[in-house]
Amino acid sequence: MSDSNEVLRTIDLFCGAGGITEGFRQAGYVSLYGNDAMPEAIETFKYNHPEAIADGRSIEETDPAEIRKRLGLEVGELDVLVGGPPCQGFSINAPERFLNDPRNKLFTYYERYLEEFRPKAFVFENVPGLLSLGDGKVFRQIVRIFGGLGYKVTAKILFAAHYGVPQERWRLILLGSRFGEIAHPEPSHYAVGRANFRGGSTMTFQLNETDRHRLKSPVTVGEAIGDLPRLAMGEGSEIAGYTNDAHCSYAESVRNPAGVTFNHYAAKLSKQNAERMKHVKPGGSWRDIPHELLPKGMQRARKSDHTKRYGRLRNDGLSGTVLTKCDPHWGTVFLPDQDRTLSVREAARFQSFPDTYKFLGSRVSQYVQVGNAVPVLMAKAIALTIRDHLDGLRPQPVTDESIGDLLTPVDVR
């Protein structure tokens, strides 16, 4: 079905800025088409993936059959469909009405594209919380829908740090194939995170001490961003030259050979937040801030409240989940050794985007695009395991040994 030298083709629904598409590109795929209704995100996708058709219409306005014909594909010819539609509407007591809920039109369109294109394989990504909707009934209904279309479906919750991403981020990944089961990519890096959600102990890779010595060390915050130009609040620009040499293999792998990067600007903080920041040590949070300096609402918070608000990163740790807002009131956004918050480029480094990847639109929009993305290196690992699966379907050459393996000895007694 697939030649290892063949360029495999994808289309990406709900593509956002193109994190999955970039991961698949790095694995040797080519994207034919991307769709997302966020204007700034689709412009970013278009800029970074000029080979693909970038469609900014709402997916409800698109016709899967028209798109397939426009791409010149026969039914069953597409290699991989990728996407992650939200699945918000559900009925606990009647999950069979899942598709009738108007909030699930986006999932319905993912299904329609799957039916129209009949790709060899698909990737469906979502938040782990999907497993809890309707006590798991919605998830089981989704798997039944995919299975009813002729796909063998496997599901696992992947931890981004297991694939060299310097970030604590969990994603539910469903893989489907018309030709058998696809195994999820094995971790390449040793990292441990809190899997405090349904499926955390049964649907994740459980690593042990043997794995600690067998696998690569996780990529830390310091390794991820330590070579980028240091900035004070209000400094930086949309195009920035490097001022430091690459200091580790991760930095070398993501740096732009042209010697510049993009979207590296340090926002100014309010006077109150700048004062609060001074009290937070690396690895610390709002608990380090004097009580009288806390926002009124947080003055009533309990110390046992395990939020990461007003948190400061540690150079020797992982980033928390990259958020769609670079706001200290939302999470850990203070740098370990600079008194400022993350630039868009630093957030993109935590998502394993290469420095050549440019985010368009307002700076607020850029943070949203980065925060909504699937980490590039995790997507690349998924892409490579699908390629291995499709490569395994190729007809193998017939040899004397393979003929012998197929022959069954005959008992002539």
Side-chain angles (χ1 to χ4, degrees):
M1 301 301 300
S2 170
D3 188 305
S4 58
N5 295 319
E6 179 186 353
V7 176
L8 301 181
R9 296 161 296 182
T10 69
I11 66 172
D12 191 343
L13 306 179
F14 316 99
C15 63
I20 293 183
T21 300
E22 176 62 17
F24 273 72
R25 186 197 65 77
Q26 292 185 15
Y29 293 67
V30 63
S31 175
L32 303 179
Y33 172 83
N35 174 272
D36 199 275
M38 181 181 178
E40 298 91 340
I42 201 66
E43 287 301 312
T44 294
F45 179 92
K46 181 179 180 180
Y47 179 88
N48 293 282
H49 300 282
E51 74 285 354
I53 295 173
D55 190 346
R57 294 177 294 171
S58 169
I59 198 166
E60 294 98 330
E61 298 174 19
T62 68
D63 179 356
E66 185 270 330
I67 297 297
R68 181 179 61 76
K69 293 174 183 176
R70 183 179 177 187
L71 297 175
L73 295 175
E74 299 293 332
V75 174
E77 198 174 359
L78 179 68
D79 295 298
V80 187
L81 171 71
V82 303
C87 301
Q88 298 170 322
F90 68 96
S91 169
I92 294 176
N93 297 319
E96 64 275 6
R97 291 202 291 268
F98 171 73
L99 292 181
N100 294 328
D101 191 302
R103 291 172 293 176
N104 289 321
K105 283 184 178 179
L106 300 182
F107 173 82
T108 302
Y109 269 83
Y110 184 93
E111 181 198 3
R112 291 182 185 177
Y113 271 83
L114 201 59
E115 288 181 299
E116 176 62 37
F117 280 83
R118 298 287 291 161
K120 299 179 181 73
F122 73 80
V123 180
F124 176 92
E125 66 87 18
N126 220 283
V127 294
L130 179 63
L131 296 171
S132 301
L133 293 183
D135 196 29
K137 293 178 181 178
V138 173
F139 170 72
R140 292 192 292 272
Q141 176 75 344
I142 290 172
V143 173
R144 281 195 295 269
I145 290 167
F146 291 153
L149 295 176
Y151 289 89
K152 177 68 176 178
V153 182
T154 57
K156 208 164 186 71
I157 300 170
L158 301 185
F159 188 45
H162 284 164
Y163 306 98
V165 178
Q167 178 190 178
E168 296 178 353
R169 193 182 193 96
W170 300 92
R171 299 300 291 182
L172 172 64
I173 304 294
L174 276 67
L175 302 179
S177 169
R178 292 195 282 121
F179 308 105
E181 184 173 298
I182 305 177
H184 287 68
E186 293 284 334
S188 57
H189 293 66
Y190 180 86
V192 177
R194 290 185 60 207
N196 55 343
F197 42 75
R198 176 176 286 204
S201 60
T202 58
M203 294 183 66
T204 60
F205 284 106
Q206 301 292 309
L207 303 184
N208 54 37
E209 283 301 308
T210 301
D211 297 315
R212 182 191 294 271
H213 301 289
R214 179 178 62 86
L215 300 175
K216 298 176 184 178
S217 298
V219 178
T220 65
V221 165
E223 290 172 324
I225 64 173
D227 67 305
L228 289 171
R230 296 178 68 87
L231 303 173
M233 285 190 291
E235 289 185 346
S237 62
E238 289 303 303
I239 302 178
Y242 298 117
T243 55
N244 304 307
D245 293 333
H247 62 299
C248 66
S249 59
Y250 182 85
E252 290 174 354
S253 71
V254 296
R255 280 167 74 107
N256 185 351
V260 297
T261 188
F262 307 102
N263 313 113
H264 189 46
Y265 175 85
K268 294 182 179 180
L269 289 172
S270 67
K271 182 178 179 180
Q272 298 93 323
N273 280 340
E275 181 62 31
R276 291 162 183 156
M277 175 176 57
K278 295 177 182 178
H279 297 275
V280 182
K281 60 183 182 297
S285 68
W286 64 274
R287 299 169 187 81
D288 298 331
I289 300 171
H291 182 80
E292 64 275 10
L293 292 181
L294 288 170
K296 296 298 182 183
M298 295 193 70
Q299 290 182 0
R300 298 189 294 272
R302 297 171 298 178
K303 294 293 183 181
S304 59
D305 181 5
H306 298 291
T307 66
K308 298 182 179 180
R309 291 180 176 182
Y310 292 90
R312 190 183 286 272
L313 296 158
R314 288 172 39 196
N315 272 325
D316 60 349
L318 294 169
S319 162
T321 299
V322 174
L323 305 175
T324 56
K325 286 186 178 182
C326 191
D327 184 340
H329 192 71
W330 282 66
T332 302
V333 297
F334 297 146
L335 266 69
D337 52 2
Q338 300 176 59
D339 279 335
R340 62 175 177 84
T341 55
L342 289 167
S343 70
V344 171
R345 176 51 48 193
E346 287 160 338
R349 283 272 186 108
F350 292 156
Q351 287 277 51
S352 60
F353 278 98
D355 285 357
T356 53
Y357 214 91
K358 187 175 183 179
F359 295 89
L360 304 182
S362 69
R363 195 163 296 117
V364 170
S365 170
Q366 292 171 15
Y367 281 112
V368 173
Q369 293 173 51
V370 174
N372 280 335
V374 173
V376 171
L377 288 181
M378 187 168 76
K380 180 180 179 180
I382 294 168
L384 290 173
T385 202
I386 294 175
R387 175 179 279 281
D388 288 344
H389 169 77
L390 296 178
D391 284 348
L393 301 174
R394 287 182 293 148
Q396 300 299 312
V398 177
T399 64
D400 291 342
E401 291 78 9
S402 63
I403 292 174
D405 292 339
L406 293 173
L407 295 178
T408 303
V410 177
D411 190 343
V412 296
R413 291 178 296 171

